[in-house]
Amino acid sequence: AQSVSQHNHHVILSEAASLELGCNYSYGGTVNLFWYVQYPGQHLQLLLKYFSGDPLVKGIKGFEAEFIKSKFSFNLRKPSVQWSDTAEYFCAVNAGQAGTALIFGKGTTLSVSS
Amino acid sequence: EAGVAQSPRYKIIEKRQSVAFWCNPISGHATLYWYQQILGQGPKLLIQFQNNGVVDDSQLPKDRFSAERLKGVDSTLKIQPAKLEDSAVYLCASSTRTGSVTYTGELFFGEGSRLTVL
């Protein structure tokens, strides 16, 4: 069965610090990978996704993620965080063939102090 | 474009009572999902519909949970009778038809219905 592990439960950073959130998945076949973000009081929204092609994908608000197939990883990065990045971040995966629902990790809470 | 609508936003009930949640997906989205998100955990799929058919309900506790999408548009999730461990946020999401040329993999989520069972 597919599963997703997010290594950091709560990350606390100062503004302008660099961010990297770890995500590993367990699935032997082709996968689609996603990062979703939930800002305080708002609904989940897509940050970025990887289906195929360039393993370095760029999303909204300066976020990027790198798919490393050999490590079953899809880590999220941002070179310089802002206070407005305070949110909960979820990594998710589904099987490569279209049609399967997303499996989510437990989430990482990011707190950015100004 | 209107987003995914859910109601009610909050519900407090006592154990053994029943509750129902409603979801209206984005217009034209054929696939609808119900997820359960317990505090401190990621969303867990309960059921996935494509039009009015069930694609996956393997993690739905069928002894107490039921869901329907009779006309292939809006959907209702019911819990009867509720248990303390059902306290969670129930998220509805929709997407374009999986397997279609317009499918992007992106799920669009509603704001959720927060259930507290006392």
Side-chain angles (χ1 to χ4, degrees), chain A residues 27-98:
Chain A
Y27 184 69
T30 304
V31 293
N32 302 318
L33 296 155
F34 305 80
W35 277 97
Y36 275 80
V37 61
Q38 187 167 28
Y39 298 104
Q42 297 187 26
H43 58 273
L44 279 163
Q45 54 189 287
L46 183 68
L47 202 54
L48 48 77
K49 65 186 177 189
Y50 171 81
F51 269 26
S52 63
D54 189 344
L56 183 63
V57 293
K58 296 188 184 300
I60 60 172
K61 304 186 179 184
F63 285 90
E64 64 178 31
E66 185 175 12
F67 170 49
I68 303 179
K69 188 175 181 180
S70 61
K71 294 185 178 180
F72 297 88
S73 70
F74 190 56
N75 292 354
L76 181 70
R77 299 193 293 249
K78 185 171 184 178
S80 176
V81 295
Q82 301 174 313
W83 177 81
S84 57
D85 293 325
T86 295
E88 193 156 15
Y89 293 81
F90 294 93
C91 183
V93 63
N94 68 359
Q97 70 274 17

Side-chain angles (χ1 to χ4, degrees), chain A residues 9 32 34 36 38 41-46 49 51 88 90 94 98-107, chain B residues 9 33 35 37 40-45 48 55-56 59 91 98-99 103-111:
Chain A
H9 183 62
N32 302 318
F34 305 80
Y36 275 80
Q38 187 167 28
Q42 297 187 26
H43 58 273
L44 279 163
Q45 54 189 287
L46 183 68
K49 65 186 177 189
F51 269 26
E88 193 156 15
F90 294 93
N94 68 359
T100 61
L102 294 184
I103 307 298
F104 285 84
K106 289 189 175 183
Chain B
R9 290 290 312 278
Y33 312 77
Y35 281 85
Q37 186 175 15
Q41 299 182 21
K44 183 186 86 170
L45 179 72
Q48 177 186 353
V55 175
D56 183 357
Q59 297 190 84
L91 298 168
T98 54
Y103 179 68
T104 65
E106 180 175 0
L107 269 60
F108 295 82
F109 284 86
E111 296 195 5

Side-chain angles (χ1 to χ4, degrees), chain B residues 15-118:
Chain B
K15 59 183 179 182
R16 292 187 290 273
Q17 287 187 323
S18 63
V19 63
F21 302 112
W22 174 82
C23 171
N24 195 32
I26 291 173
S27 178
H29 280 191
T31 310
L32 184 148
Y33 312 77
W34 283 103
Y35 281 85
Q36 179 193 57
Q37 186 175 15
I38 293 173
L39 188 64
Q41 299 182 21
K44 183 186 86 170
L45 179 72
L46 291 175
I47 189 166
Q48 177 186 353
F49 292 96
Q50 181 121 301
N51 298 311
N52 61 354
V54 174
V55 175
D56 183 357
D57 64 356
S58 57
Q59 297 190 84
L60 187 73
K62 298 181 185 65
D63 57 334
R64 298 183 299 106
F65 286 65
S66 64
E68 60 184 16
R69 194 185 184 200
L70 295 175
K71 296 183 179 179
V73 180
D74 58 345
S75 175
T76 302
L77 175 71
K78 295 179 181 177
I79 307 174
Q80 181 179 16
K83 292 186 175 182
L84 297 177
E85 59 261 36
D86 298 332
S87 293
V89 177
Y90 290 86
L91 298 168
C92 180
S94 69
S95 71
T96 53
R97 186 174 64 84
T98 54
S100 71
V101 293
T102 59
Y103 179 68
T104 65
E106 180 175 0
L107 269 60
F108 295 82
F109 284 86
E111 296 195 5
S113 295
R114 182 177 297 276
L115 173 67
T116 301
V117 182
L118 303 175

